[in-house]
Amino acid sequence: MTPNSGTGTSATRRLGVLVIVLAIALALFGLRFSAEDVVQGSTVRIMYVHVPSIWTAYIAFILTAICSGVYLSRRQRSLAWDRVAGASAEIGVLFVAVSLVTGSLWGRLTWGTYWVWDARLTSTAFLFITYVGYLAVRRLDGTHRQRARRSSVMALLAILEIPLVHFSVNLWRSLHQDASVADPNAKVKLDGLMLFSLFLGLVTFTLLFVWLVLHRQRTMLLEDSFADRGLDVAIAERRNEAGAQ
Amino acid sequence: MDHAAFILGSWIGTGIAVIAYAVWVLRRGRALSKHASTEEKPWT
């Protein structure tokens, strides 16, 4: 290992290479090899990045809630749980944003408009804003433990939005299509290569998420260490000043 | 391919967003770890 390999290890490097290979394969299958949809035509190709994006965001926010719950429930509260929660939420926000933008482009082609105040779209936008708020709460003044406690409580409340977003198409009348792949009773049947491309997208984005979380939570550990170090220096300076008087 | 601008825009936009974030995380990690001791980097 090099003296300054940043936040990488041999495992994360191998995982990174695998993600790049899978992303190239996804681009080939999604844009070239898979057939056009009978109804949607070529616009279905947007689905191979749109669906994996919101899938990854769901995983990210669920992981944030699990880590937050573990942090609050343990007697020995380890900040490592809080850092994984924070890293995961940050990446989740990125993927919700990607999902909103790609969905909007798909909507322009399919519905003739970039945005409608539809139940699924509105609840997803609300989910995005909620987790931007979560990230803002993490930046409030206070100790690491105060940050962890506040943000853990917020994460456990925010996760309640996920079922609301996911089932919004069933709960309210919606332009957005219902579940088509996950529902065994759905009328929509996907061609083999289309299904494969979608599955490849889910695997690629999930592994990408794991790679990003590993790096980001290590960066957060370094940020916390440096903040503590800065605090130690400030306390020592204050003590020196008090001793000199 | 019909609607190529929208389709490629979706893919390229996704790629740019993810790569930009990944590069930012890696660069920040590298910059911080330069000044960190081995104890502060338990993964090494």
Side-chain angles (χ1 to χ4, degrees), chain A residues 37 65 70 93 96 128 151 183 212 226:
Chain A
D37 186 66
V70 171
V93 166
V96 174
F128 173 74
S151 54
D183 182 0
L212 285 170
F226 280 54

Side-chain angles (χ1 to χ4, degrees), chain A residues 3-239:
Chain A
N4 181 26
S5 58
T7 49
T9 59
S10 59
T12 56
R13 276 189 283 278
R14 278 198 291 271
L15 181 60
V17 170
L18 177 64
V19 169
I20 290 170
V21 171
L22 289 174
I24 292 168
L26 175 64
L28 288 172
F29 278 95
L31 293 172
R32 186 86 184 93
F33 299 144
S34 66
E36 292 187 358
D37 186 66
V38 180
V39 179
Q40 298 181 42
S42 59
T43 57
V44 73
R45 299 188 193 284
I46 296 176
M47 290 297 111
Y48 305 130
V49 286
H50 173 71
V51 176
S53 297
I54 195 67
W55 159 271
T56 309
Y58 282 175
I59 290 178
F61 297 147
I62 290 168
L63 181 64
T64 297
I66 290 171
C67 290
S68 300
V70 171
Y71 175 78
L72 288 176
S73 63
R74 292 278 173 91
R75 191 176 293 174
Q76 294 288 329
R77 291 179 170 176
S78 166
L79 285 170
W81 293 106
D82 172 63
R83 284 190 288 267
V84 176
S88 186
E90 193 174 281
I91 297 159
V93 166
L94 171 75
F95 281 105
V96 174
V98 166
S99 176
L100 284 169
V101 172
T102 54
S104 171
L105 291 170
W106 181 85
R108 177 71 182 82
L109 296 174
T110 311
W111 301 330
T113 179
Y114 288 105
W115 186 263
V116 283
W117 291 104
D118 166 86
R120 172 61 71 80
L121 277 69
T122 308
S123 58
T124 307
F126 190 62
L127 184 74
F128 173 74
I129 292 164
T130 303
Y131 278 91
V132 169
Y134 169 88
L135 295 179
V137 165
R138 292 188 66 84
R139 288 180 172 271
L140 291 175
D141 283 343
T143 63
H144 300 325
R145 298 212 171 271
Q146 284 171 331
R147 175 196 71 194
R149 201 167 51 245
R150 285 178 198 142
S151 54
S152 294
V153 171
M154 186 169 176
L156 291 176
L157 293 173
I159 195 64
L160 300 175
E161 281 182 49
I162 296 279
L164 190 73
V165 172
H166 190 70
F167 295 110
S168 59
V169 287
N170 305 117
L171 293 171
W172 294 284
R173 286 172 57 170
S174 175
L175 263 179
H176 198 282
Q177 72 187 66
D178 295 350
S180 45
V181 180
D183 182 0
N185 301 319
K187 292 174 187 168
V188 180
K189 292 283 176 264
L190 287 175
D191 165 73
L193 268 184
M194 289 167 77
L195 197 60
F196 176 76
S197 302
L198 193 60
F199 181 72
L200 186 62
L202 297 178
V203 171
T204 306
F205 276 55
T206 304
L207 292 177
L208 172 65
F209 165 73
V210 172
W211 183 84
L212 285 170
V213 166
L214 285 171
H215 280 284
R216 185 65 183 116
Q217 59 91 19
R218 286 170 187 165
T219 310
M220 285 178 163
L221 172 62
L222 291 173
E223 286 168 350
D224 283 358
S225 298
F226 280 54
D228 289 340
R229 214 193 276 175
L231 196 64
D232 289 345
V233 170
I235 290 169
E237 283 174 356
R238 287 294 295 271
R239 280 187 179 147

